[in-house]
Amino acid sequence: MNMFKPSVIVLALSTALLGCQQDTGPQKDKVTIEKNPYPSTYKPHSTSSTLITNATVLTGTGERIDDADVYIVDGKISQVGKDLAVSADTTVNAAGKWVTPGIIDNHSHLGAYPNPGVESHQDGNEMIHPNTAQVWVEHSVWPQDPGFNRAREGGITSLQILPGSANLFGGRAVTLKNVPSETMQGMKFPEAPYGLKMACGENPKRVYGGQGVAPKTRMGNMAGYREAWIEATEYKRAWEQYDKEYAAGMNPDAPHRDIKLDTLRGVLDGEILIHNHCYKAEEMAMMIDLSKEFGYHAGTFHHGIEAYKIADLLGENGNCAALWPDWWGFKMEAYDMSLENVAIVDAAKNSCAVIHSDSDTTIQRLNHEAAKVMYSANEVGFDIKEEHAIKWITYNAAKSLGIEDLTGSIASGKQADVVIWDQSPFSVYSKAEKVFIDGAKVYDRNDSKYQAVSDFMLGQR
Amino acid sequence: MNKFKLSILTGALLSSSAVFAQVTAITNATVHTLTKQGVLENATVLIENGKITAVNPKSFNADVTVNAQGKVLTPGLIGTMNQLGLVEVGAVSRSVDAYDKSGIEFDPSSAFNPRSSLIPYARKGGLTQNLSIPSLPWGESGVFMGLGFVADLSGEFGSVTDSQSALIVDLGAVSGDGSRAASLQAFAKKLSEQKKKLTSKKDKKDDKDPSAEEKLLTQVLKGDLPVVASASRASQLLELIKLKEQFGLNLIIDGAQDAVLVKDELAKAKVPVIISSVANLPTGFDALHAHLGNAGTLEKAGVNVILNIAGDGSHNVYQMRFNAGIAVANGMTHEGALKAMTVNVADAFGIEGGKIAKGERADVVLWTADPFEFSTRVDKIWINGEQVTTESRHDKLTERYTTDSSMPRGYTK
């Protein structure tokens, strides 16, 4: 049973239909695919205005402004600069403190692999087939994961939740605003595009090869991707043909709906961004070629331990690389670690270096992760300043998620996702003091009123 | 044959360096002695023959003088509870020597690989010694892991200094069919059986030699062999304190995420506690009180705290100093955090070193500044009196891919 008609047959049939002038009666209802069936219900929590004064501001776009003010109105950054002559509902004197855009983690499993990490909570890897592009990780997210609160205390204002890496195609990723909510939809970043998780290398071949099912090897991985994209290409053509014929006044039958191929088609249409777990230089290069073979963009490579070996290639092709500063050695593809990986990738022309966590622990300290890279790189001759390094966990992360026009920097008109740090966030002793999402204070280290507690932790004393 | 010759040669070189022992003086250092002397400014430390021979002598003659120029000198850090030297790549089974089913008497020290690429990398984090422990394959559980051992991180052959430093038992939460009650009973049963054998030994005629396990249990009962028990639930920690008192154990608790609930009892019973300072999530129902402030809270209560790295502590142990900084940012004293990676570890496991004082093992680290800060680097490091490098293959990779060459990268060495 083929789930859709191969395009050649569709074409032939439609030509035949045209020729015979059959089925020209009143058109049946047009079949359309609802692309957003689980829409965001997130609403910014505040419309009051806030003025943060006298801070060291890192804009997230490479600029540092000392003794600067940030003016927030209606959830948006209104002005940034020295001695702003404005009045606000709330003024925060941030003398001696630092202000950055909200930190964005583009690789998290919070909610899908929540704490407590018990058997009942293993909701991140649909390990039943190498291609599970039909699953959406948002349907696994438990908003009460205490990890969301811990991450917010570390300045995380947005984060992408990804399915795990057992499969060649793990499923759809979702980007969230890090606000307390009873529902996933209440956290869902309204305008963020969907992501598709893909995985290279050891994980898929180990999971399926161990079961005697393809892929068993790296070449099997590639064959699996190619077969899927061929199928997706045919599916896309079938729907386009249907839309075209319908628009021409004919009465064609809609192709069979397939939610797995909906996701892959979304990538081919440029609506869904690829997020590819891929460690090794040669594999990333092949994934770029794969994307060219099928006409989509290879997106962001995650965990690219060897990204530094192909920094130029990543820049030329416009790929972001989401990296750890120092994880290594847990498997062969993680062996060739360089402490300067992020910095080397970053130094290439048209680069997009991102620091990610993939961890419920380090997500709380991505500023520290950026500091590790900055200082070790400067030790070997780079000259990276704080105002540049902050990009790795703000603007570049937003770019990787397709939300850089909305958040990720402190600039007029941007969503007011902002962190006030008690000192330079590049010190090991630094802590986020206040966190704002869309201008609303969502965390205050000195005010328990703004310290959310997960339902799970209530009464557990 | 060649390998054999090489080791003889190395042995000869090592002993020759001992014969022609030179005196190294580190001058103008800010020295964290971790003794009653506290922090000494512009201080001089003399090293000879693997030992610290003087701190701030009135005068000295040295073969080598290192002017620290105000940089910070601390004892070398000591890692614990990882598989350093027993694992190269976690997922490559034949590079992992940490697992075995042999139980209490499993001694992995003979598999310690001083040439592991993890070791120079650990030195980058200021580590000079390490307590490596056996573990279990992922997903398996069991009570008796075997023996932990101490090695210095010089990278030299023969760097295991004590092959039987602790008995490692896992008494924590069990998945599958097991109850933690059964784990505790299994351990208590071993101890009482051995105790019975020791007290009734004379009555028996068959004087057969005790087994390896029996010998080890005897050491445990005498308090000579520390026992590291992994457990986190507070009520279970109290059970362990009872066991310590019943059998006279030299008990150390690892994990201990809910230890703050019974901190006074732990302090009173003098049970050192090994924790990860960044553990602050309720990873399970035994860890509902995991918090960034726990290291400081336990310190304040008088518990002998030891800091380590959770998760893949073998590859990530270089991060230990940063975790110490996070502990300090959340309430631990700076000196307490430094002690939690040096003298506290040495005291708990009977390891030489951990302090800068006359007669101590000359494992010292010269840091460019505050050892906990990201901006700080290890400037120089001495293990057993010898200066060693921190360069690892990671540096070589960085160098290869940041060096311009008209040749393919493979030719840049």
Side-chain angles (χ1 to χ4, degrees):
Chain A
M1 171 67 198
N2 51 345
M3 299 195 288
F4 57 89
K5 297 178 175 102
S7 60
V8 178
I9 298 173
V10 173
L11 275 169
L13 278 173
S14 53
T15 311
L17 289 170
L18 269 172
C20 299
Q21 295 292 309
Q22 284 176 351
D23 210 357
T24 52
Q27 283 187 307
K28 289 178 280 192
D29 285 347
K30 174 85 188 290
V31 178
T32 54
I33 294 173
E34 170 56 60
K35 290 183 179 175
N36 189 22
Y38 307 92
S40 172
T41 56
Y42 165 75
K43 293 275 183 301
H45 294 232
S46 166
T47 53
S48 67
S49 58
T50 303
L51 179 66
I52 303 166
T53 61
N54 302 312
T56 301
V57 175
L58 306 179
T59 62
T61 45
E63 206 182 342
R64 168 180 169 146
I65 317 172
D66 291 319
D67 294 317
D69 304 340
V70 178
Y71 185 41
I72 297 169
V73 180
D74 277 338
K76 297 271 197 309
I77 310 252
S78 170
Q79 293 179 61
V80 189
K82 296 199 181 216
D83 301 319
L84 299 182
V86 293
S87 64
D89 300 330
T90 310
T91 299
V92 181
N93 181 359
K97 303 179 197 297
W98 291 49
V99 170
T100 69
I103 307 305
I104 299 171
D105 188 357
N106 77 347
H107 194 118
S108 175
H109 300 294
L110 289 182
Y113 281 117
N115 278 290
V118 294
E119 299 89 330
S120 319
H121 277 167
Q122 304 305 303
D123 287 317
N125 251 328
E126 186 71 11
M127 275 187 278
I128 50 92
H129 192 275
N131 181 354
T132 57
Q134 73 274 21
V135 305
W136 298 22
V137 77
E138 65 192 48
H139 300 144
S140 274
V141 169
W142 180 45
Q144 295 296 338
D145 181 355
F148 287 116
N149 296 333
R150 298 289 89 80
R152 195 178 313 111
E153 291 161 18
I156 296 289
T157 54
S158 296
L159 68 173
Q160 176 173 246
I161 312 301
L162 291 154
S165 52
N167 305 340
L168 300 173
F169 297 89
R172 277 202 207 197
V174 66
T175 297
L176 304 175
K177 286 264 185 182
N178 193 14
V179 290
S181 170
E182 288 72 49
T183 64
M184 176 277 297
Q185 292 93 324
M187 304 176 77
K188 203 168 177 178
F189 197 120
E191 307 90 343
Y194 274 110
L196 170 64
K197 173 71 176 284
M198 293 179 70
C200 294
E202 294 185 30
N203 289 10
K205 80 184 184 102
R206 174 171 46 84
V207 170
Y208 295 99
Q211 300 169 11
V213 174
K216 193 178 171 60
T217 61
R218 287 186 151 85
M219 57 187 173
N221 285 353
M222 284 301 288
Y225 307 130
R226 297 179 77 203
E227 283 165 0
W229 289 123
I230 288 166
E231 219 181 340
T233 304
E234 299 291 356
Y235 185 70
K236 174 175 151 73
R237 282 182 191 152
W239 274 99
E240 284 171 354
Q241 187 66 31
Y242 167 75
D243 290 344
K244 194 173 147 192
E245 287 175 8
Y246 196 92
M250 293 186 295
N251 209 356
D253 287 331
H256 185 86
R257 174 89 186 272
D258 184 313
I259 56 172
K260 177 189 285 186
L261 294 169
D262 282 347
T263 293
L264 297 182
R265 183 192 169 188
V267 173
L268 297 176
D269 286 343
E271 293 170 355
I272 296 177
L273 306 178
I274 296 284
H275 290 278
N276 196 344
H277 159 122
C278 208
Y279 286 68
K280 287 169 71 67
E282 72 278 12
E283 287 191 299
M284 287 185 266
M286 286 187 286
M287 296 307 280
I288 289 172
D289 282 350
L290 175 75
S291 72
K292 289 176 179 166
E293 183 182 3
F294 292 99
Y296 65 91
H297 189 260
T300 298
F301 292 110
H302 292 245
H303 316 333
I305 291 258
E306 295 188 3
Y308 65 97
K309 298 183 182 180
I310 49 159
D312 290 344
L313 177 65
L314 297 172
E316 283 157 21
N317 196 56
N319 296 106
C320 293
L323 311 168
W324 295 293
D326 54 8
W327 284 23
W328 73 289
F330 41 92
K331 50 183 166 175
M332 239 8 244
E333 61 194 11
Y335 195 54
D336 282 5
M337 183 265 272
S338 158
L339 282 167
E340 289 74 37
N341 190 11
V342 174
I344 298 172
V345 168
D346 181 70
K349 200 178 161 197
N350 192 35
S351 66
C352 174
V354 178
I355 297 179
H356 70 345
S357 78
D358 190 18
S359 158
D360 52 16
T361 302
T362 48
I363 192 174
Q364 303 173 37
R365 280 175 289 279
L366 281 182
N367 53 315
H368 287 179
E369 299 290 273
K372 286 181 191 171
V373 174
M374 181 177 79
Y375 288 116
S376 62
N378 288 347
E379 186 73 12
V380 299
F382 288 78
D383 181 20
I384 297 166
K385 303 277 194 294
E386 289 91 340
E387 54 267 34
H388 184 79
I390 198 75
K391 281 179 83 166
W392 303 332
I393 53 174
T394 57
Y395 185 82
N396 286 2
K399 189 176 164 190
S400 149
L401 298 177
I403 52 174
E404 75 273 25
D405 293 338
L406 305 167
T407 186
S409 57
I410 296 183
S412 182
K414 288 291 190 79
Q415 295 175 358
D417 301 336
V418 172
V419 184
I420 303 176
W421 305 88
D422 63 351
Q423 57 191 295
S424 164
F426 295 87
S427 165
V428 76
Y429 304 115
S430 64
K431 288 185 279 200
E433 212 166 78
K434 291 182 174 61
V435 181
F436 298 84
I437 295 181
D438 286 300
K441 187 159 74 172
V442 292
Y443 175 69
D444 191 327
R445 186 166 295 273
N446 302 310
D447 186 349
S448 60
K449 186 182 161 197
Y450 294 95
Q451 297 168 5
V453 175
S454 150
D455 286 356
F456 173 72
M457 291 304 291
L458 269 189
Q460 299 270 26
R461 306 314 270 176
Chain B
M1 270 321 280
N2 268 339
K3 281 179 193 166
F4 187 60
K5 275 181 189 162
L6 190 68
S7 66
I8 287 178
L9 188 65
T10 312
L13 282 172
L14 281 173
S15 50
S16 71
S17 70
V19 171
F20 303 108
Q22 56 178 16
V23 178
T24 302
I26 303 164
T27 63
N28 295 316
T30 298
V31 179
H32 290 254
T33 63
L34 306 187
T35 67
K36 280 178 188 159
Q37 284 197 288
V39 181
L40 306 172
E41 302 288 343
N42 298 315
T44 298
V45 173
L46 292 190
I47 296 172
E48 188 180 0
N49 210 8
K51 297 278 182 199
I52 294 166
T53 52
V55 177
N56 264 348
K58 289 209 174 73
S59 63
F60 63 87
N61 286 311
D63 303 297
V64 179
T65 301
V66 175
N67 184 346
Q69 297 176 310
K71 290 171 194 150
V72 175
L73 193 74
T74 71
L77 309 185
I78 308 172
T80 58
M81 309 305 286
N82 56 48
Q83 281 78 48
L84 213 54
L86 298 177
V87 58
E88 188 66 26
V89 174
V92 175
S93 60
R94 278 172 290 181
S95 78
V96 181
D97 293 297
Y99 314 135
D100 207 272
K101 291 187 167 58
S102 53
I104 290 177
E105 73 281 13
F106 174 51
D107 166 11
S109 67
S110 59
F112 179 77
N113 175 20
R115 297 300 169 99
S116 162
S117 70
L118 282 71
I119 287 174
Y121 184 69
R123 292 199 296 256
K124 239 185 248 301
L127 273 86
T128 56
Q129 296 191 81
N130 189 69
L131 176 92
S132 296
I133 63 156
S135 177
L136 289 170
W138 193 84
E140 286 190 24
S141 56
V143 176
F144 302 105
M145 307 279 205
L147 297 163
F149 65 91
V150 173
D152 74 44
L153 300 180
S154 62
E156 299 289 347
F157 298 119
S159 52
V160 173
T161 51
D162 180 12
S163 61
Q164 299 187 354
S165 301
L167 173 66
I168 314 299
V169 295
D170 186 353
L171 300 175
V174 189
S175 67
D177 318 323
S179 159
R180 65 192 90 209
S183 306
L184 197 72
Q185 280 161 23
F187 185 43
K189 191 178 167 202
K190 288 268 187 203
L191 294 170
S192 19
E193 280 173 1
Q194 185 61 19
K195 197 173 177 180
K196 203 170 157 193
K197 276 181 203 162
L198 289 175
T199 48
S200 62
K201 194 167 81 177
K202 294 296 161 201
D203 305 338
K204 287 190 180 172
K205 284 287 170 199
D206 57 323
D207 262 0
K208 66 172 183 184
D209 283 343
S211 69
E213 180 179 304
E214 287 168 339
K215 283 181 192 165
L216 289 165
L217 288 169
T218 301
Q219 279 185 268
V220 166
L221 290 167
K222 284 181 180 166
D224 292 344
L225 182 64
V227 174
V228 180
S230 297
S232 276
R233 188 192 280 179
S235 57
Q236 202 177 5
L237 304 188
L238 294 177
E239 292 294 327
L240 282 166
I241 291 173
K242 275 192 227 163
L243 208 65
K244 173 191 165 89
E245 283 159 5
Q246 187 187 343
F247 291 104
L249 304 180
N250 183 354
L251 177 71
I252 299 162
I253 292 174
D254 172 54
Q257 301 207 0
D258 272 358
V260 285
L261 293 186
V262 290
K263 57 185 192 298
D264 297 330
E265 290 86 343
L266 289 164
K268 189 166 164 247
K270 297 195 185 322
V271 178
V273 164
I274 306 174
I275 60 167
S276 161
S277 61
V278 298
N280 69 338
L281 287 161
T283 49
F285 284 89
D286 292 8
L288 297 172
H289 295 80
H291 189 273
L292 294 180
N294 282 3
T297 304
L298 291 169
E299 179 198 21
K300 206 177 227 174
V303 176
N304 188 359
V305 178
I306 294 170
L307 293 179
N308 81 338
I309 292 284
D312 180 4
S314 310
H315 291 88
N316 296 336
V317 68
Y318 109 111
Q319 300 175 17
M320 193 163 67
R321 66 186 180 105
F322 303 142
N323 283 14
I326 292 162
V328 172
N330 290 281
M332 199 177 202
T333 66
H334 192 280
E335 193 191 25
L338 202 47
K339 283 183 167 174
M341 302 183 292
T342 53
V343 63
N344 292 2
V345 194
D347 286 352
F349 290 100
I351 299 170
E352 267 192 75
K355 285 181 283 209
I356 297 184
K358 188 179 173 182
E360 293 290 335
R361 190 186 152 93
D363 285 3
V364 291
V365 186
L366 188 62
W367 308 86
T368 55
D370 177 359
F372 302 160
E373 266 295 9
F374 298 113
S375 50
T376 300
R377 291 282 165 277
V378 171
D379 188 74
K380 292 184 177 63
I381 182 166
W382 288 262
I383 296 179
N384 207 19
E386 301 283 330
Q387 199 184 326
V388 289
T389 177
T390 61
E391 187 179 65
S392 69
R393 68 184 291 274
H394 313 91
D395 303 302
K396 302 296 285 179
L397 284 163
T398 296
E399 203 181 317
R400 168 173 281 188
Y401 285 91
T402 51
T403 301
D404 283 333
S405 170
S406 55
M407 303 273 281
R409 303 274 192 201
Y411 296 100
T412 305
K413 296 179 195 105

